[in-house]
Amino acid sequence: MSSKSSVFATVAYTPPDAIFELTKAYIADPDTRKVNLGQGTYRDGEGNPWVLPAVEAAKDAIKNCNHEYLPILGHPPFRQLVTELVFRKESTVISGGRVASCQALSGTGALHVAGMLLRRALGQDRTVYITNPSWSNHRQVFESVGFSVREFHYASRDGIDMESLLQALTEADPSSIFVLHASAHNPTGWDPSPEQWRQIAAIMKERSLFPLFDAAYLGLTSGDYEQDAYAIRYFAGELDLEMGVCISFAKSMGLYGERTGLCAFVSRNHNIANNVESSLAQLVRSEISNPPAFGARVVTAILANDGLSSQWRRDLTTMSSRISGMRKQLCDELTALDTPGDWRKIIQQKGMFCVLGLTPEQVHYLKEKYHIYMAESSRVSIAGLNEGNVRYVAECIHQVVCQPEE
Ligand SMILES: Cc1ncc(COP(=O)(O)O)c(C=O)c1O
């Protein structure tokens, strides 16, 4: 190698992540009318980040904790309480010792470690199926651990495209992995009904497919954690399927930057779970040695205390009701303006997001002319709306929808 050539000469420039770039542009925008509907972070009625009262109290309760390393698999009471929360304390998968778990770097880290473990378990010839559209990071998380990723059509304008979903399940090779959004599908906001989940589960069981639940919005979708965990509990408890669950406390406790999550696998029996957990420990050790403590201590303080748990349930209701209230207001404003389009979908869809169905040109125009920021797909984070900006947003959408194409 000559002294002038670079070791990195073959490293191509990778464009930055679109949603984080959008937030950067929003922050830099000096216009006072600006509205950020890009990033999926909850905002209070004034448009500010919200520290949940339950989290505020938990931080106070743990203020004297030390800063020693956690065990490799994470904070033991955190792992126990979170698995009990997700699967139910009384569930047979818990009593049978069939859940292997490790703390992870929020939902993304949980998906990544799940991918690494599944690569070990199934080999690299398996395919990971994701919905189209899906969260923008799914493809690269699973490609980065060596899987090939395929998409199946998930939703039309009026809801889930069950036909294409069932077709993908029927045609996939056995042991293919299906990434399923446990609740609040990102970006479409369309979730299967309990009946549809049962149909999906039956085919997965019959065809030996592997369900990997991405559970980033439990509790925030309906305001009721149990209701949002329906599919996970049905697959694990009633259908007795082996599966993975990737849990995040970014949205459901507002611990975004603390990177607090859990990767859990349900396996056939306790011995297998033990082996899986030992493998998870090795993966974590080689990647991050041991996970961050603060967020796990906050979650533990909440889940271990009845009073704080009740407060957290109220906090979930506060967030989910404000979001559904804003869905209704946006829909009402657009309907009152007689804006062309079917806006009822805004109230029919669930969770933080809604896809408005605007063209990329219209999305661009909203940003450039009206300082309203959203993903190019016209996915909006409803949590970015409030009493002070919802009419403005509706009026601007009206303007771009009604203006003639140039
Ligand atoms: C569907 C979905 N999965 C996972 C995540 C991961 O979030 P985090 O890593 O912040 O927990 C997100 C975040 O937006 C998401 O929307």
Side-chain angles (χ1 to χ4, degrees):
M1 196 190 307
S2 97
S3 60
K4 289 222 172 111
S5 71
S6 167
V7 169
F8 309 107
T10 56
V11 178
Y13 177 75
T14 305
D17 182 87
I19 284 292
F20 277 80
E21 281 301 288
L22 198 69
T23 305
K24 210 162 106 186
Y26 167 81
I27 291 168
D29 186 343
D31 197 286
T32 52
R33 293 166 302 168
K34 67 181 177 177
V35 182
N36 189 5
L37 304 178
Q39 204 161 40
T41 42
Y42 181 77
R43 293 290 176 256
D44 68 12
E46 272 72 53
N48 297 315
W50 194 53
V51 180
L52 277 59
V55 169
E56 203 67 86
K59 287 199 292 195
D60 199 42
I62 62 166
K63 65 177 186 288
N64 293 327
C65 69
N66 61 36
H67 301 286
E68 295 296 292
Y69 289 132
L70 289 183
I72 293 169
L73 287 169
H75 195 37
F78 169 85
R79 291 171 48 226
Q80 184 191 335
L81 289 164
V82 174
T83 43
E84 288 174 0
L85 172 75
V86 173
F87 295 103
R88 270 191 327 113
K89 199 172 178 178
E90 307 73 24
S91 75
T92 51
V93 296
I94 303 258
S95 60
R98 290 166 47 207
V99 183
S101 72
C102 69
Q103 205 182 308
L105 297 179
S106 212
T108 312
L111 288 162
H112 181 69
V113 78
M116 291 195 298
L117 192 282
L118 289 170
R119 261 282 314 260
R120 268 190 186 179
L122 296 169
Q124 69 190 61
D125 298 337
R126 307 292 166 194
T127 303
V128 172
Y129 283 80
I130 60 173
T131 61
N132 177 11
S134 197
W135 179 46
S136 57
N137 212 10
H138 274 152
R139 174 176 281 281
Q140 67 182 358
V141 165
F142 292 103
E143 284 181 347
S144 75
V145 296
F147 281 116
S148 59
V149 173
R150 283 174 75 164
E151 298 176 357
F152 61 90
H153 188 244
Y154 178 74
S156 58
R157 286 162 72 94
D158 308 320
I160 296 179
D161 181 351
M162 267 311 264
E163 203 181 311
S164 106
L165 198 165
L166 296 180
Q167 188 181 346
L169 293 171
T170 311
E171 290 174 356
D173 288 338
S175 299
S176 296
I177 299 153
F178 275 76
V179 178
L180 303 169
H181 300 224
S183 74
H185 182 270
N186 178 4
T188 69
W190 296 116
D191 286 338
S193 64
E195 172 53 31
Q196 288 172 325
W197 276 124
R198 289 197 288 275
Q199 250 181 302
I200 294 165
I203 301 191
M204 295 198 78
K205 184 165 182 157
E206 185 191 314
R207 303 217 53 251
S208 304
L209 303 169
F210 189 88
L212 180 61
F213 281 101
D214 180 347
Y217 297 92
L218 296 186
L220 198 73
T221 314
S222 68
D224 178 339
Y225 206 91
E226 280 63 41
Q227 190 176 321
D228 294 350
Y230 171 82
I232 296 172
R233 291 176 176 190
Y234 177 74
F235 275 58
E238 292 189 42
L239 220 66
D240 201 19
L241 277 170
E242 291 197 314
M243 57 191 249
V245 186
C246 299
I247 301 141
S248 165
F249 287 95
K251 328 276 172 171
S252 52
M253 285 198 189
L255 292 172
Y256 306 96
E258 301 307 336
R259 314 311 290 143
T260 311
L262 189 89
C263 170
F265 284 109
V266 175
S267 39
R268 189 64 50 234
N269 61 44
H270 174 64
N271 289 342
I272 299 175
N274 225 14
N275 293 346
V276 171
E277 205 160 272
S278 70
S279 200
L280 286 173
Q282 194 204 18
L283 290 167
V284 173
R285 176 72 171 141
S286 66
E287 184 132 311
I288 56 168
S289 195
N290 52 83
F294 182 73
R297 289 197 206 281
V298 169
V299 173
T300 305
I302 292 172
L303 297 181
N305 178 290
D306 287 346
L308 292 186
S309 287
S310 306
Q311 178 61 51
W312 175 50
R313 305 277 172 173
R314 288 194 293 278
D315 297 344
L316 286 172
T317 311
T318 301
M319 293 191 285
S320 65
S321 334
R322 204 189 81 69
I323 291 173
S324 47
M326 281 303 129
R327 282 184 180 277
K328 179 161 181 338
Q329 278 200 40
L330 181 62
C331 176
D332 288 350
E333 295 283 357
L334 289 165
T335 310
L337 288 164
D338 218 7
T339 311
D342 173 16
W343 306 110
R344 275 169 315 156
K345 64 181 174 221
I346 300 175
I347 41 178
Q348 289 162 343
Q349 295 168 355
K350 300 256 167 14
M352 221 175 218
F353 301 111
C354 169
V355 181
L356 293 176
L358 306 178
T359 64
E361 291 72 35
Q362 289 169 333
V363 169
H364 182 73
Y365 203 71
L366 279 169
K367 179 168 136 223
E368 295 306 315
K369 177 140 197 240
Y370 299 113
H371 306 271
I372 297 173
Y373 293 74
M374 65 183 71
E376 204 190 15
S377 62
S378 78
R379 182 200 77 168
V380 290
S381 173
I382 299 288
L385 294 172
N386 56 55
E387 300 283 344
N389 64 22
V390 64
R391 172 163 300 170
Y392 172 69
V393 169
E395 284 168 355
C396 297
I397 293 173
H398 182 80
Q399 292 299 328
V400 300
V401 170
C402 292
Q403 89 184 353
E405 297 266 339
E406 278 160 22

mmCIF file of all heavy atoms in Angstrom, residues 341-366:
data_model
loop_
_atom_site.group_PDB
_atom_site.id
_atom_site.type_symbol
_atom_site.label_atom_id
_atom_site.label_comp_id
_atom_site.label_asym_id
_atom_site.label_seq_id
_atom_site.Cartn_x
_atom_site.Cartn_y
_atom_site.Cartn_z
ATOM 1 N N GLY A 341 -60.245 14.083 0.063
ATOM 2 C CA GLY A 341 -59.525 12.934 0.629
ATOM 3 C C GLY A 341 -60.378 12.239 1.670
ATOM 4 O O GLY A 341 -61.373 12.792 2.146
ATOM 5 N N ASP A 342 -59.979 11.009 2.025
ATOM 6 C CA ASP A 342 -60.702 10.268 3.060
ATOM 7 C C ASP A 342 -59.912 10.392 4.357
ATOM 8 O O ASP A 342 -58.904 9.722 4.552
ATOM 9 C CB ASP A 342 -60.837 8.795 2.640
ATOM 10 C CG ASP A 342 -61.438 7.963 3.769
ATOM 11 O OD1 ASP A 342 -62.006 8.576 4.692
ATOM 12 O OD2 ASP A 342 -61.320 6.729 3.720
ATOM 13 N N TRP A 343 -60.371 11.255 5.249
ATOM 14 C CA TRP A 343 -59.596 11.532 6.469
ATOM 15 C C TRP A 343 -60.052 10.689 7.655
ATOM 16 O O TRP A 343 -59.471 10.790 8.731
ATOM 17 C CB TRP A 343 -59.666 13.039 6.781
ATOM 18 C CG TRP A 343 -59.245 13.849 5.599
ATOM 19 C CD1 TRP A 343 -60.029 14.625 4.809
ATOM 20 C CD2 TRP A 343 -57.916 13.913 5.033
ATOM 21 N NE1 TRP A 343 -59.289 15.181 3.787
ATOM 22 C CE2 TRP A 343 -57.989 14.766 3.903
ATOM 23 C CE3 TRP A 343 -56.686 13.334 5.362
ATOM 24 C CZ2 TRP A 343 -56.882 15.044 3.101
ATOM 25 C CZ3 TRP A 343 -55.581 13.620 4.567
ATOM 26 C CH2 TRP A 343 -55.695 14.457 3.450
ATOM 27 N N ARG A 344 -61.094 9.865 7.452
ATOM 28 C CA ARG A 344 -61.541 9.022 8.573
ATOM 29 C C ARG A 344 -60.453 8.061 9.012
ATOM 30 O O ARG A 344 -60.404 7.615 10.139
ATOM 31 C CB ARG A 344 -62.782 8.223 8.168
ATOM 32 C CG ARG A 344 -64.092 8.994 8.353
ATOM 33 C CD ARG A 344 -65.184 8.240 7.697
ATOM 34 N NE ARG A 344 -64.735 7.789 6.371
ATOM 35 C CZ ARG A 344 -65.236 6.766 5.715
ATOM 36 N NH1 ARG A 344 -66.186 6.056 6.247
ATOM 37 N NH2 ARG A 344 -64.781 6.425 4.511
ATOM 38 N N LYS A 345 -59.548 7.738 8.072
ATOM 39 C CA LYS A 345 -58.470 6.802 8.429
ATOM 40 C C LYS A 345 -57.617 7.348 9.585
ATOM 41 O O LYS A 345 -57.038 6.580 10.340
ATOM 42 C CB LYS A 345 -57.591 6.494 7.210
ATOM 43 C CG LYS A 345 -56.855 7.696 6.694
ATOM 44 C CD LYS A 345 -56.029 7.344 5.490
ATOM 45 C CE LYS A 345 -55.429 8.621 4.915
ATOM 46 N NZ LYS A 345 -55.443 8.714 3.500
ATOM 47 N N ILE A 346 -57.597 8.680 9.725
ATOM 48 C CA ILE A 346 -56.784 9.247 10.811
ATOM 49 C C ILE A 346 -57.298 8.750 12.166
ATOM 50 O O ILE A 346 -56.513 8.472 13.068
ATOM 51 C CB ILE A 346 -56.793 10.796 10.769
ATOM 52 C CG1 ILE A 346 -56.237 11.290 9.435
ATOM 53 C CG2 ILE A 346 -55.993 11.382 11.933
ATOM 54 C CD1 ILE A 346 -56.314 12.796 9.228
ATOM 55 N N ILE A 347 -58.631 8.615 12.287
ATOM 56 C CA ILE A 347 -59.139 8.111 13.574
ATOM 57 C C ILE A 347 -59.246 6.587 13.623
ATOM 58 O O ILE A 347 -59.300 6.003 14.693
ATOM 59 C CB ILE A 347 -60.499 8.748 13.983
ATOM 60 C CG1 ILE A 347 -61.429 8.888 12.800
ATOM 61 C CG2 ILE A 347 -60.316 10.059 14.682
ATOM 62 C CD1 ILE A 347 -62.775 9.461 13.163
ATOM 63 N N GLN A 348 -59.208 5.956 12.457
ATOM 64 C CA GLN A 348 -59.302 4.480 12.469
ATOM 65 C C GLN A 348 -57.951 3.842 12.800
ATOM 66 O O GLN A 348 -57.882 2.765 13.366
ATOM 67 C CB GLN A 348 -59.789 3.976 11.110
ATOM 68 C CG GLN A 348 -61.255 4.307 10.848
ATOM 69 C CD GLN A 348 -61.616 4.197 9.371
ATOM 70 O OE1 GLN A 348 -60.742 4.179 8.510
ATOM 71 N NE2 GLN A 348 -62.894 4.152 9.080
ATOM 72 N N GLN A 349 -56.862 4.527 12.408
ATOM 73 C CA GLN A 349 -55.536 3.946 12.655
ATOM 74 C C GLN A 349 -55.148 4.111 14.122
ATOM 75 O O GLN A 349 -55.663 4.982 14.808
ATOM 76 C CB GLN A 349 -54.511 4.618 11.733
ATOM 77 C CG GLN A 349 -54.796 4.317 10.277
ATOM 78 C CD GLN A 349 -53.995 5.175 9.315
ATOM 79 O OE1 GLN A 349 -53.278 6.083 9.704
ATOM 80 N NE2 GLN A 349 -54.136 4.878 8.039
ATOM 81 N N LYS A 350 -54.204 3.258 14.567
ATOM 82 C CA LYS A 350 -53.863 3.227 15.993
ATOM 83 C C LYS A 350 -52.410 3.635 16.219
ATOM 84 O O LYS A 350 -51.567 3.427 15.365
ATOM 85 C CB LYS A 350 -54.023 1.799 16.520
ATOM 86 C CG LYS A 350 -55.407 1.214 16.387
ATOM 87 C CD LYS A 350 -56.074 1.222 17.735
ATOM 88 C CE LYS A 350 -57.548 0.964 17.756
ATOM 89 N NZ LYS A 350 -58.169 0.439 16.585
ATOM 90 N N GLY A 351 -52.140 4.152 17.424
ATOM 91 C CA GLY A 351 -50.770 4.411 17.826
ATOM 92 C C GLY A 351 -50.299 5.802 17.482
ATOM 93 O O GLY A 351 -51.098 6.718 17.306
ATOM 94 N N MET A 352 -48.998 5.943 17.369
ATOM 95 C CA MET A 352 -48.408 7.260 17.240
ATOM 96 C C MET A 352 -48.491 7.814 15.819
ATOM 97 O O MET A 352 -48.466 9.006 15.610
ATOM 98 C CB MET A 352 -46.934 7.128 17.625
ATOM 99 C CG MET A 352 -46.443 8.273 18.466
ATOM 100 S SD MET A 352 -44.768 7.937 18.976
ATOM 101 C CE MET A 352 -44.813 8.585 20.626
ATOM 102 N N PHE A 353 -48.579 6.899 14.836
ATOM 103 C CA PHE A 353 -48.404 7.351 13.454
ATOM 104 C C PHE A 353 -49.655 7.224 12.608
ATOM 105 O O PHE A 353 -50.552 6.440 12.904
ATOM 106 C CB PHE A 353 -47.285 6.550 12.778
ATOM 107 C CG PHE A 353 -45.970 6.680 13.476
ATOM 108 C CD1 PHE A 353 -45.421 5.609 14.155
ATOM 109 C CD2 PHE A 353 -45.286 7.893 13.470
ATOM 110 C CE1 PHE A 353 -44.211 5.728 14.815
ATOM 111 C CE2 PHE A 353 -44.079 8.029 14.128
ATOM 112 C CZ PHE A 353 -43.541 6.939 14.802
ATOM 113 N N CYS A 354 -49.632 7.994 11.526
ATOM 114 C CA CYS A 354 -50.694 7.924 10.541
ATOM 115 C C CYS A 354 -50.057 8.306 9.202
ATOM 116 O O CYS A 354 -49.208 9.200 9.159
ATOM 117 C CB CYS A 354 -51.757 8.939 10.945
ATOM 118 S SG CYS A 354 -52.974 9.215 9.687
ATOM 119 N N VAL A 355 -50.429 7.597 8.156
ATOM 120 C CA VAL A 355 -49.914 7.963 6.831
ATOM 121 C C VAL A 355 -51.013 8.747 6.121
ATOM 122 O O VAL A 355 -52.109 8.242 5.909
ATOM 123 C CB VAL A 355 -49.526 6.705 6.015
ATOM 124 C CG1 VAL A 355 -48.976 7.117 4.652
ATOM 125 C CG2 VAL A 355 -48.493 5.879 6.757
ATOM 126 N N LEU A 356 -50.717 10.020 5.796
ATOM 127 C CA LEU A 356 -51.759 10.903 5.252
ATOM 128 C C LEU A 356 -52.096 10.609 3.796
ATOM 129 O O LEU A 356 -53.167 10.980 3.322
ATOM 130 C CB LEU A 356 -51.325 12.363 5.385
ATOM 131 C CG LEU A 356 -51.226 12.896 6.822
ATOM 132 C CD1 LEU A 356 -50.693 14.325 6.816
ATOM 133 C CD2 LEU A 356 -52.576 12.830 7.532
ATOM 134 N N GLY A 357 -51.143 10.018 3.082
ATOM 135 C CA GLY A 357 -51.397 9.733 1.667
ATOM 136 C C GLY A 357 -51.080 10.919 0.763
ATOM 137 O O GLY A 357 -51.667 11.048 -0.308
ATOM 138 N N LEU A 358 -50.165 11.787 1.184
ATOM 139 C CA LEU A 358 -49.751 12.922 0.347
ATOM 140 C C LEU A 358 -48.604 12.489 -0.564
ATOM 141 O O LEU A 358 -47.907 11.508 -0.279
ATOM 142 C CB LEU A 358 -49.285 14.092 1.226
ATOM 143 C CG LEU A 358 -50.271 14.572 2.302
ATOM 144 C CD1 LEU A 358 -49.648 15.698 3.122
ATOM 145 C CD2 LEU A 358 -51.580 15.033 1.669
ATOM 146 N N THR A 359 -48.401 13.243 -1.647
ATOM 147 C CA THR A 359 -47.284 12.923 -2.545
ATOM 148 C C THR A 359 -45.984 13.492 -1.951
ATOM 149 O O THR A 359 -46.027 14.437 -1.149
ATOM 150 C CB THR A 359 -47.500 13.561 -3.928
ATOM 151 O OG1 THR A 359 -47.482 14.993 -3.757
ATOM 152 C CG2 THR A 359 -48.813 13.134 -4.551
ATOM 153 N N PRO A 360 -44.817 12.978 -2.383
ATOM 154 C CA PRO A 360 -43.561 13.541 -1.890
ATOM 155 C C PRO A 360 -43.449 15.042 -2.198
ATOM 156 O O PRO A 360 -42.898 15.806 -1.398
ATOM 157 C CB PRO A 360 -42.489 12.745 -2.652
ATOM 158 C CG PRO A 360 -43.152 11.452 -2.981
ATOM 159 C CD PRO A 360 -44.606 11.770 -3.192
ATOM 160 N N GLU A 361 -44.028 15.465 -3.317
ATOM 161 C CA GLU A 361 -43.992 16.902 -3.665
ATOM 162 C C GLU A 361 -44.795 17.707 -2.633
ATOM 163 O O GLU A 361 -44.373 18.765 -2.184
ATOM 164 C CB GLU A 361 -44.581 17.150 -5.065
ATOM 165 C CG GLU A 361 -43.759 16.621 -6.226
ATOM 166 C CD GLU A 361 -43.793 15.094 -6.320
ATOM 167 O OE1 GLU A 361 -44.841 14.504 -6.003
ATOM 168 O OE2 GLU A 361 -42.755 14.498 -6.685
ATOM 169 N N GLN A 362 -45.963 17.171 -2.271
ATOM 170 C CA GLN A 362 -46.788 17.886 -1.288
ATOM 171 C C GLN A 362 -46.079 17.944 0.071
ATOM 172 O O GLN A 362 -46.112 18.966 0.763
ATOM 173 C CB GLN A 362 -48.162 17.195 -1.161
ATOM 174 C CG GLN A 362 -49.025 17.392 -2.396
ATOM 175 C CD GLN A 362 -50.262 16.503 -2.409
ATOM 176 O OE1 GLN A 362 -50.280 15.421 -1.806
ATOM 177 N NE2 GLN A 362 -51.287 16.935 -3.121
ATOM 178 N N VAL A 363 -45.413 16.832 0.421
ATOM 179 C CA VAL A 363 -44.673 16.782 1.690
ATOM 180 C C VAL A 363 -43.547 17.820 1.661
ATOM 181 O O VAL A 363 -43.325 18.564 2.631
ATOM 182 C CB VAL A 363 -44.096 15.361 1.917
ATOM 183 C CG1 VAL A 363 -43.100 15.342 3.068
ATOM 184 C CG2 VAL A 363 -45.223 14.371 2.168
ATOM 185 N N HIS A 364 -42.875 17.904 0.526
ATOM 186 C CA HIS A 364 -41.774 18.851 0.370
ATOM 187 C C HIS A 364 -42.290 20.286 0.505
ATOM 188 O O HIS A 364 -41.701 21.127 1.190
ATOM 189 C CB HIS A 364 -41.139 18.623 -1.007
ATOM 190 C CG HIS A 364 -39.956 19.494 -1.272
ATOM 191 N ND1 HIS A 364 -38.739 19.285 -0.662
ATOM 192 C CD2 HIS A 364 -39.805 20.589 -2.063
ATOM 193 C CE1 HIS A 364 -37.895 20.204 -1.077
ATOM 194 N NE2 HIS A 364 -38.524 21.015 -1.918
ATOM 195 N N TYR A 365 -43.416 20.543 -0.125
ATOM 196 C CA TYR A 365 -44.013 21.871 -0.119
ATOM 197 C C TYR A 365 -44.418 22.272 1.313
ATOM 198 O O TYR A 365 -44.211 23.412 1.747
ATOM 199 C CB TYR A 365 -45.233 21.850 -1.034
ATOM 200 C CG TYR A 365 -45.627 23.206 -1.550
ATOM 201 C CD1 TYR A 365 -44.860 23.873 -2.501
ATOM 202 C CD2 TYR A 365 -46.794 23.814 -1.091
ATOM 203 C CE1 TYR A 365 -45.236 25.120 -2.968
ATOM 204 C CE2 TYR A 365 -47.175 25.054 -1.552
ATOM 205 C CZ TYR A 365 -46.397 25.712 -2.484
ATOM 206 O OH TYR A 365 -46.778 26.941 -2.942
ATOM 207 N N LEU A 366 -44.976 21.321 2.057
ATOM 208 C CA LEU A 366 -45.365 21.601 3.443
ATOM 209 C C LEU A 366 -44.157 22.031 4.273
ATOM 210 O O LEU A 366 -44.249 22.907 5.125
ATOM 211 C CB LEU A 366 -46.002 20.354 4.076
ATOM 212 C CG LEU A 366 -47.471 20.097 3.742
ATOM 213 C CD1 LEU A 366 -47.893 18.708 4.201
ATOM 214 C CD2 LEU A 366 -48.371 21.148 4.392
#
